[in-house]
Amino acid sequence: MKQNFLPDEQQLRHDLGIPDDAKQILIFSESSHWDPNWLFTAEEYFQRFVRHNLDQAIEELLREPRRIYSIECIFFLRRYWDRYPEQQENIRKLINNGRLRLSGSGVTTADTLLPDTEAILRDFLIGQEWLRANGMEQEPKLAYFTDSFGCTPNLPSLLNAAGFDRTAITRIDGMYFMGCDLELSKHFPRPGSSAERLLEQERSLDFVWRDQNDAQVLCHWNAFTYGQGDLLSFAGVSRVYLARLAVSLRTDRHIARRVKKYVSQLAPYSRTSYMLCPIGFDFVEPIPDIIALLDRYNKNHYPTTGIWVLNAGLDDYLALIEHYQDKLPVLGLDPNPYWTGFYTARPVLKQRCRNLTNDLLLAEKLSFLPENLGTDKTVSQKLEDPWWQAVVSNHHDFITGTSPDKVVEEEQIPWLMQADKSVNVVIDRLISALPVSDVTEKPSKSLTWNRKNNKIQIKTALYDIELDEDVGGAIVKLRSQDTQTPLLTDISNDLVTYCDSGGLWRMGLEFPGGIWKESMRAGNRSIPIQIQEHDRDLEIISSVELNGETIQRRIWFNNDSPLIHFRIEGKAAEGYSVTVRFATGISSSNLQMDTPGGIVARPPQKIYDPTFWPLHHFVHLQDDNTGRGIAVLQSMPGAISYRSDGQLELIAMRNATREKVFGVIGIPGNPASGHEQESYAYEFALLMTQNGDWQDNKIHLMAKDSPWNNSKNIALHTLTDSVITCDHPDVRITVIKSASRGAGIIVRLYTPIVPTLPVLLTTPHFKVKTAFLCDARERDLKVLELENNRVRVTMPGTIATIRLLQN
C-alpha cells in the first residue's frame, strides 16, 4: 500500500533508497569513537588505531559510492590530514559530497558540565574554521555527544547559539550500560531518572528537548549504547580495543538474526517507522562491505519481514524524524547525575583548564584597548595554538580528570602549561603600556573582633560570627547583625573526610559494593586559630591533619561585603574525599544553579544518596517557608550536595584512585586509576539572603574574585570591561575578539535571564558602520539596528553573538 509523505521526506527516502512501501526502516549509522587522549596519548591512539581506521574508511567509501561513514570531531582528522597529504583530496571530496559525514563541528566531543561556556562554543567554531580553511564545506546542523557523562540541561541553548538544531546523546542518568554497571539490567532504569521517563513513561528514544529558556533541539537517545550495532557481522562480546572478543561472521542467517534483535530492542520505543542502530564503539574499524551485507538482507528478507535496512548518517535519521515532531514528546531534560565523581576528580587539572580559557579571553579583550590599537589580528594569530589546546581540554576524558596518571602527567598537563605560557607572553606584552595601577579598591570600614577563651567573636556591618577552637575552629554561630536571625544552625565550615572506594568517574556511593563512609571530622578535636588583620579585612587561619594529610583552612571577612570567602588548601589522603560541611537550617525543595547555557532547578536527591550535583559558578537555596537563603559562589568546577535537614556539603578535594566493588573488584568500564600529586587550593564564597531567589538577590552578578587572587588580574579585567559596554545589568559581555570568519569584531553576550526588551551595546573606542547578529560559528543571521553608534540587540536566548564592522 502506497504511503503519503511530505515532499522533503519523500525526496530523502528516495535519495537513501528506501522503498515507498517500507513501513519499518532500520538505519545503521557507522562511525568510530576516538578519544584524543584517554588511556593512551594522542600519538599512541593515532598510530595504533586511528590511522588504520581512516585508511580503511576512505578505501571503503571510494569503493562503494552508497556508503556513509561519520566522524565525530576534528581532532584526529586534522592529524591525519597533516600527516598524509596524499589523502587530502580524497578527504576533501568525500566530505564535500557528504559521504564522509561530520556529526558535529567540534574539535572534540566535549563535556558540557565542567568547561566554561565560551570554551564549548569556541570548540564548535575552531573545528568548523579548520574545515573551511581547508576547503571542506560541511556545516553540520547536528552535534553528537557520543560518550559524555551527562549533559547540561541547557544544551539546547548552547547548541542553538552555535547554529545547531539537532543532537544525540548516550549516557543519561538511570540507564544501564554493559561493562559499567555490575548489576543485572532488570535493576534499570533507575526510579525517577531520565532513562525511566523516556523508556517507561514516554516510550520514545526521540524527543524535542526544550530547556527553560525555550531553546529546543531535536534529540535522539542511544538507549542501547553508541555501539549497539557493532556486532552486526561478528560473533562475540565486543569489538572495543580494550576487550576485543569477536570474530567475523557474515552469513545471511547471522545478519538476519542481528537485525531481528536490533528491531526488537528499538521498535517498542519508536513513534515513527524509522529506527536508529549506531555502530561505533571506541576505535572500532569499519565493517567491510557493509552495503553488500545490507543489500543481501533486503533481497532475501525484506519481502517477508517488512524491515528495510540501510547505511546512512545520524543526521539523515534525524532529518527523517524531523517530519514527525508533532508525534514526539517535548521534554525539559536534565540527564544528570550520570556519574558524579568526575565533577571533582583531579582538581588541579580542572583549574588549569579553566585558567587557560580565562587567560585567552583576557588576552583577546586587552588587544582592543586604545593603548593596543591595531594589535587584535596579530594577537588572534598568536592565540590560535593555545585556543586549540584549550578546546581539546573540553574533551569528556580530559577536563573530567578520567585519564590515567601517565597521560595526565606526560601529555595533558604539559599541553596546558605550554599553552598558558604562550598566552601569558601575549598578555605581558599587551599590558606593558596599560595604567593598571589606576584601579584601586573601594574603601572599607574596619570590622571588630575579640578572642575570649577559645572562642573568636567577629562583628561586621552585616554579620555576627563566632568560631570555636574546641570544635575544630568551626563556625558555631552566624547571625544577621540587624535581626539576629540565625543564618547557620550548627557547627559549620567543618572538614569531613570520607573513605571513598570510588575513582575518577564515580564516588563510592554510586554503585553496589562501593564505600562512602565518614572517616574523620575536624570538628571532633581542638584546633588553634590564627588571626591576621589586613588593613580593614580579617583572615582566620587554622590547620588540621586528616588521614595523614595536613589541610589548611582560611576564612576572609570584610566589614561591608555580604560575601564570606573560604579557602581550603592541601590534598586528600589516597582513597579519601574531603568535604566542607555547613548546617544551614534551610528546608528547600530545590537547588537553583547555573550550568553552561543558563539556570536549572534541581531536587535535593536524585538516584544517589547523597546526590552531588555539578557546581558551575553558583547555587542558591531558599527556605520554602521563611524565604531565607544561602548561596555558594565559586570560579572552578565543583560538586555540592544538600539534604532535606539543611546539611550542605561541598567537595573540597578528592583522591579516590579507582572504582572498586567491595574495595577489590575493578569495574571494567572505569579502567583508569589516578593519584593526586599536587596540593590544591579550593576557594568559594558564601552569601546569606533574607528573601527572594537568585535573581532577586542578583547572585549571578556577585563578584567571584577571591581576596587571595592576583590583584593585577582583577585590575586588568576591570580595564577590559570598558572596551564595549551594555546597558542591561543582567547581560555580560564575555567575548571581544577578531572575527575568525569574515571581517570585523565579534562580541558575545551572555545572560541567565533573557530580557524582554532589546539591549544596547556601546563602543566608546571606535565607530560602528554595520552590525550583524551571528551564531557562535560566526555565520551572519541578520542586520542589527544602529542608533547613535549604539547597537540594538534583541537577545535570541541566553547567548548572542554580534559582528561589528568599523568605519
Side-chain angles (χ1 to χ4, degrees):
M1 180 178 176
K2 185 176 176 61
Q3 301 182 71
N4 294 319
F5 304 105
L6 294 171
D8 288 348
E9 181 188 5
Q10 181 81 63
Q11 183 62 53
L12 182 54
R13 286 174 69 103
H14 285 175
D15 291 345
L16 295 173
I18 302 172
D20 287 346
D21 60 352
K23 294 183 179 179
Q24 279 193 301
I25 299 98
L26 180 62
I27 295 174
F28 290 95
S29 64
E30 188 183 27
S31 63
S32 183
H33 181 59
W34 300 332
D35 296 309
N37 48 8
W38 174 32
L39 300 182
F40 300 115
T41 66
E43 186 62 19
E44 287 171 330
Y45 271 134
F46 183 78
Q47 294 296 342
R48 293 188 189 190
F49 306 108
V50 176
R51 177 167 59 89
H52 305 294
N53 285 174
L54 269 171
D55 284 344
Q56 293 168 38
I58 292 169
E59 181 182 349
E60 290 280 340
L61 290 169
L62 292 174
R63 183 169 60 243
E64 172 51 70
R66 290 182 294 151
R67 185 163 186 168
I68 302 295
Y69 189 83
S70 296
I71 295 178
E72 296 172 0
C73 55
I74 306 301
F75 180 85
F76 278 121
L77 179 62
R78 174 180 165 176
R79 186 167 291 214
Y80 186 89
W81 176 276
D82 291 341
R83 301 280 182 89
Y84 299 98
E86 68 276 10
Q87 288 279 39
Q88 289 180 3
E89 189 56 31
N90 284 331
I91 293 170
R92 186 184 291 111
K93 287 181 178 178
L94 289 169
I95 285 179
N96 286 343
N97 65 26
R99 307 272 317 295
L100 191 56
R101 197 72 60 83
L102 293 160
S103 55
S105 71
V107 174
T108 68
T109 48
D111 174 77
T112 60
L113 293 168
L114 306 178
D116 185 86
T117 299
E118 179 57 27
I120 301 169
L121 295 176
R122 204 65 70 96
D123 205 335
F124 295 132
L125 171 68
I126 291 171
Q128 186 71 73
E129 284 302 288
W130 181 85
L131 290 169
R132 206 170 63 86
N134 289 285
M136 288 168 274
E137 299 166 358
Q138 274 193 51
E139 297 189 357
K141 300 175 70 177
L142 162 70
Y144 183 20
F145 296 92
T146 328
D147 194 29
S148 300
F149 318 133
C151 293
T152 170
N154 290 300
L155 189 63
S157 288
L158 273 180
L159 294 184
N160 286 179
F164 299 98
D165 61 10
R166 54 203 66 178
T167 190
I169 57 178
T170 301
R171 296 184 187 268
I172 68 173
D173 60 293
M175 76 176 292
Y176 173 74
F177 203 113
M178 186 176 66
C180 294
D181 298 300
L182 301 185
E183 299 179 67
L184 297 176
S185 60
K186 68 179 183 180
H187 296 155
F188 298 83
R190 301 295 197 198
S193 67
S194 299
E196 180 189 51
R197 184 172 183 185
L198 288 169
L199 290 175
E200 298 185 358
Q201 298 172 22
E202 305 294 347
R203 298 191 65 78
S204 180
L205 305 184
D206 302 303
F207 59 98
V208 175
W209 187 348
R210 181 180 296 163
D211 65 24
Q212 72 165 32
N213 309 311
D214 287 330
Q216 68 179 45
V217 290
L218 179 62
C219 185
H220 175 78
W221 170 43
N222 295 321
F224 305 99
T225 76
Y226 56 93
Q228 180 184 8
D230 276 14
L231 296 177
L232 173 68
S233 61
F234 293 82
V237 178
S238 169
R239 289 202 292 139
V240 178
Y241 71 106
L242 294 173
R244 188 179 173 88
L245 302 170
V247 295
S248 179
L249 184 58
R250 301 169 60 84
T251 65
D252 179 57
R253 182 181 179 187
H254 175 76
I255 300 297
R257 283 162 52 182
R258 288 291 188 201
V259 169
K260 182 179 180 181
K261 175 186 175 182
Y262 300 146
V263 171
S264 70
Q265 291 175 319
L266 295 166
Y269 307 107
S270 176
R271 297 195 181 188
T272 72
S273 59
Y274 307 107
M275 297 165 284
L276 179 77
C277 185
I279 297 170
F281 263 137
D282 300 23
F283 299 98
V284 297
E285 69 280 3
I287 294 176
D289 297 315
I290 190 173
I291 300 297
L293 298 178
L294 300 180
D295 285 347
R296 185 181 66 190
Y297 176 90
N298 287 331
K299 179 181 178 181
N300 294 343
H301 300 280
Y302 172 64
T304 55
T305 65
I307 300 167
W308 186 265
V309 298
L310 70 149
N311 162 235
L314 171 56
D315 52 349
D316 291 324
Y317 171 79
L318 289 170
L320 291 165
I321 293 294
E322 185 177 31
H323 298 289
Y324 299 90
Q325 289 198 53
D326 58 340
K327 292 185 177 182
L328 302 180
V330 179
L331 306 178
L333 196 73
D334 185 357
N336 307 287
Y338 181 69
W339 295 326
T340 68
F342 75 91
Y343 301 157
T344 49
R346 300 196 187 278
V348 174
L349 179 73
K350 289 175 168 58
Q351 189 176 51
R352 290 184 186 277
C353 293
R354 277 278 185 93
N355 286 345
L356 176 56
T357 298
N358 291 340
D359 288 346
L360 283 160
L361 294 173
L362 175 61
E364 289 176 339
K365 287 183 177 180
L366 285 169
S367 70
F368 288 93
L369 286 168
E371 294 85 350
N372 293 316
L373 191 64
T375 64
D376 54 297
K377 287 294 183 183
T378 303
V379 167
S380 180
Q381 292 168 0
K382 290 183 179 298
L383 297 182
E384 284 181 1
D385 287 343
W387 263 121
W388 178 272
Q389 299 300 347
V391 299
V392 168
S393 76
N394 292 337
H395 183 257
H396 60 265
D397 280 308
F398 195 141
I399 193 172
T400 55
T402 49
S403 293
D405 292 337
K406 177 181 182 293
V407 174
V408 172
E409 293 166 8
E410 294 183 10
E411 185 162 273
Q412 292 179 349
I413 286 181
W415 280 0
L416 293 170
M417 290 177 67
Q418 180 57 48
D420 201 53
K421 180 180 178 181
S422 299
V423 179
N424 277 287
V425 168
V426 174
I427 290 175
D428 288 342
R429 189 171 66 253
L430 289 170
I431 67 176
S432 60
L434 296 182
V436 177
S437 58
D438 290 349
V439 180
T440 57
E441 295 184 2
K442 296 179 180 179
S444 172
K445 294 181 180 179
S446 298
L447 49 73
T448 61
W449 66 277
N450 67 77
R451 185 194 292 267
K452 186 175 182 181
N453 298 326
N454 292 331
K455 293 182 172 58
I456 292 92
Q457 294 177 330
I458 304 165
K459 292 185 184 295
T460 74
L462 300 173
Y463 302 126
D464 187 357
I465 309 111
E466 184 175 297
L467 295 90
D468 193 339
E469 292 179 325
D470 290 337
V471 287
I475 297 172
V476 293
K477 183 174 74 172
L478 179 63
R479 294 177 181 270
S480 166
Q481 190 66 263
D482 291 339
T483 64
Q484 288 300 298
T485 302
L487 304 178
L488 294 173
T489 58
D490 204 342
I491 295 174
S492 293
N493 195 36
D494 193 10
L495 289 182
V496 183
T497 67
Y498 290 87
C499 182
D500 184 357
S501 68
L504 303 176
W505 287 269
R506 311 191 225 200
M507 294 179 169
L509 59 89
E510 296 179 44
F511 51 91
I515 300 168
W516 175 261
K517 183 179 180 181
E518 186 173 320
S519 173
M520 301 181 75
R521 285 178 54 198
N524 287 338
R525 65 189 75 178
S526 179
I527 296 174
I529 291 174
Q530 303 174 43
I531 300 175
Q532 293 186 5
E533 295 184 89
H534 303 277
D535 296 327
R536 296 173 176 83
D537 299 321
L538 199 69
E539 185 176 17
I540 307 295
I541 305 170
S542 62
S543 295
V544 60
E545 185 176 293
L546 297 172
N547 306 109
E549 293 286 347
T550 300
I551 299 175
Q552 185 179 78
R553 281 176 299 177
R554 296 173 182 265
I555 314 175
W556 193 288
F557 297 99
N558 175 281
N559 185 69
D560 300 316
S561 175
L563 296 176
I564 303 172
H565 289 273
F566 299 82
R567 180 181 175 102
I568 299 169
E569 300 170 89
K571 68 183 180 74
E574 190 169 308
Y576 291 86
S577 290
V578 180
T579 72
V580 55
R581 180 184 292 173
F582 291 87
T584 69
I586 289 173
S587 176
S588 180
S589 56
N590 64 66
L591 298 82
Q592 296 180 314
M593 320 174 69
D594 76 317
T595 71
I599 307 297
V600 63
R602 286 171 161 151
Q605 186 175 338
K606 184 179 180 185
I607 302 179
Y608 307 123
D609 183 19
T611 300
F612 281 92
W613 291 107
L615 179 50
H616 195 57
H617 287 118
F618 76 81
V619 60
H620 183 243
L621 293 161
Q622 184 181 6
D623 193 283
D624 294 333
N625 300 311
T626 67
R628 165 177 92 77
I630 185 171
V632 179
L633 300 93
Q634 60 185 49
S635 59
M636 292 295 149
I640 187 169
S641 75
Y642 164 74
R643 293 181 178 273
S644 57
D645 63 1
Q647 178 177 294
L648 187 94
E649 284 194 270
L650 303 167
I651 300 292
M653 47 196 68
R654 292 188 73 233
N655 197 358
T657 56
R658 187 183 171 188
E659 290 82 353
K660 289 188 177 179
V661 178
F662 306 117
V664 176
I665 305 170
I667 298 177
N670 304 128
S673 60
H675 306 78
E676 284 303 318
Q677 308 295 344
E678 297 182 66
S679 181
Y680 175 65
Y682 170 62
E683 296 180 1
F684 64 98
L686 289 188
L687 171 72
M688 310 300 169
T689 60
Q690 295 302 313
N691 53 66
D693 63 11
W694 64 272
Q695 185 176 348
D696 298 324
N697 287 281
K698 304 293 183 185
I699 293 169
H700 58 296
L701 302 177
M702 291 281 180
K704 293 180 288 294
D705 289 325
S706 160
W708 298 283
N709 275 359
N710 184 321
S711 60
K712 179 180 177 182
N713 282 342
I714 297 172
L716 290 174
H717 282 285
T718 301
L719 279 176
T720 57
D721 286 343
S722 69
V723 174
I724 298 175
T725 60
C726 179
D727 71 336
H728 197 293
D730 291 325
V731 179
R732 290 192 301 114
I733 296 173
T734 57
V735 173
I736 305 172
K737 65 180 285 288
S738 292
S740 300
R741 180 176 189 152
I745 299 169
I746 295 296
V747 180
R748 190 111 61 233
L749 311 180
Y750 172 74
T751 177
I753 311 157
V754 181
T756 56
L757 298 176
V759 301
L760 292 176
L761 299 186
T762 302
T763 58
H765 303 309
F766 56 88
K767 295 291 185 182
V768 177
K769 178 175 67 175
T770 313
F772 297 88
L773 179 68
C774 311
D775 62 27
R777 285 186 277 175
E778 299 183 11
R779 300 177 299 181
D780 293 346
L781 303 175
K782 68 176 183 180
V783 178
L784 295 174
E785 181 183 343
L786 281 175
E787 178 183 299
N788 298 323
N789 202 46
R790 295 186 298 175
V791 182
R792 184 180 294 272
V793 182
T794 299
M795 292 291 292
T798 57
I799 300 164
T801 303
I802 314 299
R803 182 192 308 278
L804 304 177
L805 299 179
Q806 298 173 256
N807 274 327

